Amino acid sequence: MNRANRLVVAVTVPLALGACVAVGPDYMPQPGPSIANYSRADPSKASDGSAEGDQRISVGVVTPYWWKAFASPVLNALVKQALAGSPAIEAAQATLAQAREGITAARGDLFPQITIGGSAGRSNSGAPGLDTTLNKSSVGPSLAYQVNAFGATSRRVEQAQALADLQQAKLRATRLTLTGSTVAQALALASATEQIRAVQDIIAFDQHNLELVQLSANAGRSAYLDVLTAESQLSSDRALLPPLQQLASVARHALAVLTGRMPAESPDLQFDFSILTLPRDLPLALPSGLVRERPDLQAAEAQLHASSAAIGIATVALYPNLTLDASFAETTVGSGALFANSTGIWSLAASILAPVFSGGKLSAQRAAATDAYAAELGNYRQAVLTAFGQVADVLHALSHDADQLAAQRRALNAAKATLELTQQSYQAGQAGLLQIIEAQRLYQQARLGYVRAQTQRFADSAQFFVVTGGGSGDAVADIAGKP
């Protein structure tokens, strides 16, 4: 017993000391960029006050429930349904749970593995004239422990944790994609609804013009060609409706799918810009903090961390590996009854395996892990550049959207006034049908242009929240969202 203990101590102490130091690189989180602005001319506000409602950008943090900035109960209900019914969220949650179990499994190697087993049997040598039947039985526990020499198990735990962080970030990214898509499709439905109403109003103008021309033609004051021209304009404007109705149907079907329902179960939503409020205050993280806000950048860094841990795992393979085994069993061997006259037998052993020659395999594996880390570092840096490009684009888009909307409003007012004056002149006999049609065409373009500019401003406002990370992601635990 004493000799065995001394043997185990002599072998394990040096490696136990080595277990205090994990070989391989220790991962350091990537710092945020040191730049002060997102672009060369960083806009501080998205409106100069001449547009319909100012939008001001200031340093702050986006709430995880960012869609509530549009102050629409209908939109809030749609997003809540999407978060509660999306199979994509369910899949991401299950994948995250699987990754977290991987952490527990990896940590299990930090502790001794204890099992218990037993056996029983009879044997006979077959010698003639002799009773050589023997009964054999054994039962007892055994213990196996792989020493965490040079951080072998610690690196595997570190990698498992990084992979769990990766899945956590992917869950947040799935949530952000889902909410962003839901808001985008709701805005698409609102845009289609507003454009349908605009075209319907234009068609009503066409019908009124046609009635006037027909009366004038019947009275002999207009040629029949004017009637044909008015009918042609009415038919041309009616042709604008089916594509817009198709856009509305596509948006409704997309909303049904996003909320976890079949397209046939899509609700007959009446969604337009009248039930939406343009967000006024847009909180924007400092450039150095954006990498902590966007889930795709969090996922890229988690993948980078896992690759760093893989280098450590490959490095540990170049060092000795120590395993301790111990067992105790109650054993009987004899010609009597089974389990009679038992004897306790114990064993204690230590084994060590050290690589001597592997044909370059282990070194190549470590080099490959290092190359994989370099590749992930390049992917991370590219993701950061892409993210900053998206934020810069949206910031300038918001500023341009405000100017465009103001210009479209002025064009709409002018076109409407021109059309009204032209109609009055036509009724007074001072203008011809072609002048009315031209004025109506300009009004149609201005009306639809205003709706599209309004749509773009709402869409870019929603995109602002998406590209800035959609909040910290703490709301993932409350996956259905707040009412």
Side-chain angles (χ1 to χ4, degrees):
M1 176 67 178
N2 291 336
R3 184 176 300 174
N5 286 339
R6 287 194 297 269
L7 176 62
V8 171
V9 170
V11 174
T12 60
V13 167
L15 288 179
L17 293 175
C20 299
V21 179
V23 297
D26 292 325
Y27 182 76
M28 298 295 293
Q30 296 297 304
S34 58
I35 60 174
N37 296 324
Y38 286 96
S39 65
R40 184 179 296 276
D42 203 21
S44 60
K45 61 180 182 178
S47 170
D48 58 5
S50 61
E52 299 178 359
D54 291 342
Q55 282 187 303
R56 297 191 176 275
I57 299 170
S58 58
V59 176
V61 178
V62 175
T63 171
Y65 303 98
W66 58 269
W67 55 89
K68 293 188 176 182
F70 293 92
S72 172
V74 178
L75 182 62
N76 294 345
L78 279 174
V79 176
K80 184 176 182 179
Q81 292 170 14
L83 289 171
S86 171
I89 292 290
E90 294 177 2
Q93 287 178 307
T95 304
L96 174 59
Q98 178 186 10
R100 286 175 173 169
E101 293 298 335
I103 299 174
T104 303
R107 286 176 176 166
D109 289 337
L110 293 171
F111 304 94
Q113 307 298 305
I114 301 175
T115 59
I116 189 169
S119 63
R122 296 168 66 88
S123 63
N124 191 297
S125 64
L130 296 176
D131 183 8
T132 56
T133 300
L134 295 177
N135 299 323
K136 300 178 181 179
S137 64
S138 177
V139 61
S142 61
L143 176 148
Y145 177 60
Q146 186 172 2
V147 178
N148 186 28
F150 307 105
T153 304
S154 299
R155 291 302 187 193
R156 286 192 289 270
V157 172
E158 178 186 359
Q159 185 182 52
Q161 180 64 63
L163 293 176
D165 292 341
L166 171 63
Q167 296 306 325
Q168 176 72 43
K170 285 187 175 181
L171 173 58
R172 292 175 179 175
T174 301
R175 178 183 183 275
L176 181 57
T177 300
L178 178 66
T179 55
S181 298
T182 302
V183 173
Q185 291 300 330
L187 293 175
L189 177 58
S191 177
T193 301
E194 296 283 0
Q195 291 184 72
I196 287 172
R197 289 175 181 172
V199 171
Q200 288 174 338
D201 290 343
I202 292 168
I203 290 174
F205 275 118
D206 290 341
Q207 291 173 331
H208 180 65
N209 290 339
L210 179 59
E211 291 172 0
L212 291 177
V213 173
Q214 287 175 333
L215 290 174
S216 179
N218 292 338
R221 295 192 301 269
S222 298
Y224 185 65
L225 180 61
D226 290 345
V227 176
L228 294 178
T229 302
E231 289 178 343
S232 176
Q233 183 65 37
L234 174 60
S235 299
S236 177
D237 289 337
R238 280 176 173 169
L240 298 175
L241 274 180
L244 295 174
Q245 291 168 339
Q246 174 64 14
L247 290 177
S249 297
V250 169
R252 285 194 178 92
H253 295 161
L255 285 172
V257 172
L258 288 168
T259 54
R261 292 177 288 187
M262 291 293 181
E265 301 172 323
S266 60
D268 187 17
L269 283 175
Q270 299 301 319
F271 200 82
D272 55 39
F273 292 132
S274 66
I275 60 176
L276 290 168
T277 300
L278 188 71
R280 302 302 182 196
D281 297 317
L282 303 177
L284 179 64
L286 293 172
S288 59
L290 182 67
V291 295
R292 306 292 172 231
E293 295 295 325
R294 286 189 43 140
D296 59 332
L297 299 185
Q298 294 171 349
E301 180 158 11
Q303 185 65 66
L304 185 64
H305 188 181
S307 297
S308 174
I311 297 176
I313 295 172
T315 303
V316 169
L318 298 171
Y319 290 80
N321 179 41
L322 174 66
T323 302
L324 300 179
D325 295 287
S327 64
F328 177 82
E330 288 287 341
T331 303
T332 61
V333 178
S335 57
L338 285 174
F339 307 112
N341 303 319
S342 63
T343 302
I345 299 177
W346 61 266
S347 68
L348 181 64
S351 61
I352 183 171
L353 293 175
V356 176
F357 177 75
S358 63
K361 173 184 175 181
L362 299 180
S363 298
Q365 288 175 341
R366 188 182 188 283
T370 303
D371 293 337
Y373 177 84
E376 293 299 339
L377 181 59
N379 292 336
Y380 173 80
R381 291 174 175 171
Q382 183 60 53
V384 171
L385 290 174
T386 301
F388 274 73
Q390 292 172 345
V391 174
D393 289 345
V394 168
L395 290 177
H396 286 275
L398 288 171
S399 178
H400 299 154
D401 290 344
D403 296 338
Q404 182 183 15
L405 186 62
Q408 287 290 348
R409 166 53 73 180
R410 291 190 293 268
L412 178 61
N413 291 337
K416 184 177 182 181
T418 300
L419 178 60
E420 291 174 349
L421 288 175
T422 304
Q423 287 176 323
Q424 294 172 7
S425 298
Y426 180 80
Q427 292 175 354
Q430 299 174 353
L433 177 63
L434 293 179
Q435 291 175 289
I436 288 184
I437 291 176
E438 177 63 18
Q440 182 175 319
R441 184 183 64 81
L442 294 176
Y443 176 73
Q444 169 188 305
Q445 292 176 345
R447 179 81 180 270
L448 294 177
Y450 180 77
V451 172
R452 289 164 185 159
Q454 194 177 20
T455 301
Q456 191 62 49
R457 197 176 190 198
F458 272 104
D460 286 337
S461 297
Q463 187 66 8
F464 169 86
F465 292 105
V466 173
V467 300
T468 55
S472 63
D474 294 336
V476 173
D478 181 19
I479 205 64
K482 294 182 179 178

